[in-house]
Amino acid sequence: MSSRRQLLVQAAALAGAALTPAAWSSAIAQTRMADDPFGLGVASGEPSPDGMVLWTRLAPKLREPLGGMTPAPVTVRWEVATDPAMRQTVARGRALAVAEAGHSIHVEVRGLSPGREYWYRFNAAGHASPIGRTRTSPAADVAIDRLKLAYASCQKYSAGYYSAHAVLAADQPDLVLFLGDYIYEEANTGRGVRAHPVAEPVDLAGYRERYAWYKADENLQAAHAAAPWMVTWDDHEVANDYGGDQDRTNPSPATFLKRRAAAYQAFYENMPLRRNRMPVGPDMLLYRSLDWGRLAQVQMLDTRQYRNHRTCEAVSEGKRIPADCPERSEPSRSLLGDPQEQWLQGRFRSTPAQWNLLAQQYLMGELFSAPGKVGNDGWDGYVASRRRVLEGWRDAKVSNPMVLGGDIHCFFAGELSLEPGGKPLASEFVGGSISSLGRPNLDINRLVAGNPRLKYGDGESRGYGRVEITPRAATVTFRAVADALVPNSTVSDLATFVVEAGNPELKRV
Ligand SMILES: [Fe+2]
């Protein structure tokens, strides 16, 4: 076997693609493409001490089926360098972009040095991609003095512009956590500030097209190219308010699971995830953890795929249910499912980290939307499941638990305790949204007043959260866009909180 063919065999094995001899030759004999195939940008993710995932998806004509690609596989060359001009290359290789994976590639780079910056780019069909910046995480046993991360969620394309992403990129964080609602599946109502295709996606072609509309945004591409991401999903990556094998409009699991399979496949194809996350039918294992030396561990949850069906649905008005509905507290009801709960408790018992970040979709603590009323779409519908997490922190003496969340399109900061008014066990920071519309502060101020565990709320600002962690304290800054309804808006600090190590109480600074 020639060394060129050997390389391709290795690349195909890595890409998980089975190729026929005809596909080999077409991959080898491809010609230049007239259009730049890198219109969806580049991304990296899942940093480890020796590498990370490098991602791209070839699409020379963004708005066409298959992104303007023919079904033939295409060889993509990748390289990693220690300088932004890509002069000092330290790793390179090839991967095959195949139609079955939407011509996406997920390269798992290994053999790099821990805790340092790298730059990367791709070449295919006579075109070079933009250069991305990424980094490896620090070695596991090393004391680290700082982690700078950003977290974000909820970027409804039609609702606003992604100025928040441009500023997040300029911050050059070590890591970005994306906490769900990367796309919205809803049909475009025409009321938003930016149009996209009107059809609601229900199959793989539809979801691929929706990702292409979102990922063509240059500010979103800049945020991906600025730092490695770790992503999870919420409901809108599949369907509004879905849970387990059901959504609101489609109670038949057989039909809904087909749609879920298509949505999960498109999510995998469009995210810088490791190949062991590739979905199998309607199942995709997304919960996982990531260590940043001994300083921090991120435990990232999937609160959609395994949850029990909606709580107290018979007495609900929209998502609002009576807080004393007995089903809320049934011990068997879980937002995470038993295997994920067991996994999380295992993380709690084994984590060596000084800070433990629970990265998930919601406001985690109880939220009375009116006296005696709570919502049933998040943790408030699964009280026993939440209690097991809080007790897990307490019993395993988890060091500095901190919850990061999204979903509600508002900024909230608060404290979590087992009983109302009890000793705080963890701090909690939620939101806001990159572009999805929030709620008037008149409502938010009423919520904060009615829920004393909350220390702050803002529903009118779009933006993201910046978290700086040191062994002594975590500083969380809510970053707000001046106006997400216009392009290129400025961003400023809305509020800053400090949580000192050993004390989850918030201090506003
Ligand atoms: Fe959302």
Side-chain angles (χ1 to χ4, degrees):
M1 194 184 283
S2 75
S3 64
R4 180 174 176 78
R5 169 116 192 208
Q6 221 159 17
L7 258 178
L8 280 166
V9 169
Q10 284 161 4
L14 286 173
L19 288 189
T20 60
W24 286 120
S25 47
S26 104
I28 295 163
Q30 62 190 287
T31 49
R32 294 176 61 91
M33 284 180 204
D35 297 300
D36 178 4
F38 295 108
L40 300 176
V42 300
S44 71
E46 308 295 309
S48 62
D50 72 338
M52 72 290 291
V53 175
L54 305 181
W55 172 95
T56 193
R57 181 180 152 211
L58 304 181
K61 294 191 169 71
L62 299 180
R63 313 295 187 225
E64 289 185 8
L66 268 185
M69 299 289 289
T70 69
V74 174
T75 305
V76 179
R77 285 178 291 134
W78 57 268
E79 55 189 324
V80 176
T82 52
D83 63 306
M86 303 293 301
R87 289 201 184 91
Q88 307 294 324
T89 305
V90 291
R92 59 164 68 87
R94 289 160 193 257
L96 274 181
V98 299
E100 291 76 11
H103 291 102
S104 64
I105 62 164
H106 300 75
V107 174
E108 295 187 42
V109 184
R110 297 218 165 81
L112 304 181
S113 304
R116 64 154 299 159
E117 273 180 305
Y118 288 97
W119 287 263
Y120 62 96
R121 80 174 155 207
F122 302 95
N123 273 275
H127 296 267
S129 77
I131 294 169
R133 169 190 177 265
T134 187
R135 63 181 306 131
T136 48
S137 60
D141 53 352
V142 173
I144 301 299
D145 56 10
R146 193 169 301 266
L147 164 63
K148 207 172 97 178
L149 67 83
Y151 71 94
S153 64
C154 299
Q155 50 186 21
K156 190 171 191 170
Y157 182 89
S158 58
Y161 292 91
Y162 294 166
S163 310
H165 274 310
V167 177
L168 182 158
D171 283 350
Q172 299 224 314
D174 299 320
L175 181 67
V176 176
L177 305 177
F178 197 86
L179 304 179
D181 289 350
Y182 188 98
I183 58 161
Y184 281 70
E185 88 292 1
E186 298 153 3
N188 192 8
T189 59
R191 286 197 298 271
V193 296
R194 295 196 284 179
H196 62 63
V198 292
E200 181 169 332
V202 291
D203 58 14
L204 183 53
Y207 284 106
R208 281 176 174 165
E209 183 188 38
R210 187 59 61 101
Y211 278 100
W213 275 91
Y214 275 63
K215 293 185 84 84
D217 184 281
E218 59 183 26
N219 291 333
L220 177 56
Q221 289 186 12
H224 276 297
W229 285 39
M230 188 184 185
V231 298
T232 185
W233 52 36
D234 195 19
D235 54 337
H236 288 289
E237 282 85 353
V238 181
N240 183 35
D241 288 347
Y242 89 91
D245 58 9
Q246 246 181 19
D247 76 344
R248 285 208 182 269
T249 54
N250 201 346
S252 149
T255 323
F256 176 69
L257 287 176
K258 263 192 210 156
R259 183 178 186 185
R260 198 177 92 175
Y264 284 7
Q265 173 67 20
F267 181 82
Y268 170 77
E269 289 175 2
N270 284 283
M271 296 296 151
L273 290 164
R274 291 191 184 274
R275 286 187 301 269
N276 63 3
R277 303 290 156 186
M278 195 183 292
V280 178
D283 303 317
M284 180 167 162
L285 191 61
L286 197 58
Y287 58 85
R288 62 207 186 279
S289 64
L290 187 153
D291 289 296
W292 208 265
R294 284 207 308 264
L295 181 62
Q297 182 175 91
V298 179
Q299 295 129 17
M300 186 163 257
L301 303 185
D302 170 0
T303 60
R304 284 288 164 190
Q305 189 173 185
Y306 313 108
R307 61 164 62 186
N308 292 104
H309 290 161
R310 270 186 298 280
T311 309
C312 307
E313 196 62 359
V315 289
S316 72
E317 304 157 43
K319 298 182 201 179
R320 189 180 275 201
I321 57 171
D324 59 2
C325 168
E327 200 187 12
R328 268 188 91 207
S329 325
E330 276 178 17
S332 63
R333 295 186 58 81
S334 176
L335 190 66
L336 305 178
D338 196 42
Q340 185 174 195
E341 283 201 18
Q342 295 302 327
W343 167 83
L344 185 60
Q345 296 294 342
R347 295 284 83 195
F348 290 168
R349 288 190 294 270
S350 65
T351 173
Q354 290 160 301
W355 292 85
N356 286 276
L357 308 180
L358 194 66
Q360 48 84 56
Q361 284 75 55
Y362 301 103
L363 187 75
M364 190 171 176
E366 196 162 49
L367 180 74
F368 288 98
S369 51
K373 300 281 187 184
V374 295
N376 72 347
D377 189 51
W379 291 98
D380 268 338
Y382 304 82
V383 170
S385 195
R386 174 170 60 203
R387 194 173 183 86
R388 287 190 286 271
V389 176
L390 270 70
E391 287 173 349
W393 284 330
R394 181 196 63 191
D395 296 346
K397 300 190 169 51
V398 172
S399 177
N400 298 309
M402 174 182 279
V403 176
L404 301 176
D407 178 62
I408 49 176
H409 311 173
C410 303
F411 286 107
F412 280 112
E415 295 157 0
L416 286 167
S417 54
L418 268 166
E419 309 302 338
K423 190 173 174 306
L425 278 168
S427 55
E428 171 168 44
F429 298 93
V430 170
S433 63
I434 292 289
S435 59
S436 306
L437 300 181
R439 290 157 73 172
N441 278 345
L442 233 89
D443 291 357
I444 298 300
N445 295 341
R446 189 177 49 75
L447 282 177
V448 172
N451 293 271
R453 66 167 207 89
L454 292 177
K455 306 302 172 195
Y456 179 86
D458 182 297
E460 294 176 1
S461 302
R462 313 279 67 80
Y464 66 97
R466 189 163 69 190
V467 185
E468 205 165 306
I469 295 176
T470 71
R472 267 184 286 176
T475 306
V476 181
T477 303
F478 292 153
R479 303 272 289 155
V481 177
D483 186 356
L485 300 180
V486 298
N488 307 316
S489 183
T490 55
V491 174
S492 59
D493 293 355
L494 186 65
T496 299
F497 304 88
V498 171
V499 181
E500 283 165 10
N503 178 8
E505 286 170 34
L506 310 189
K507 293 186 182 63
R508 178 122 186 236
V509 294

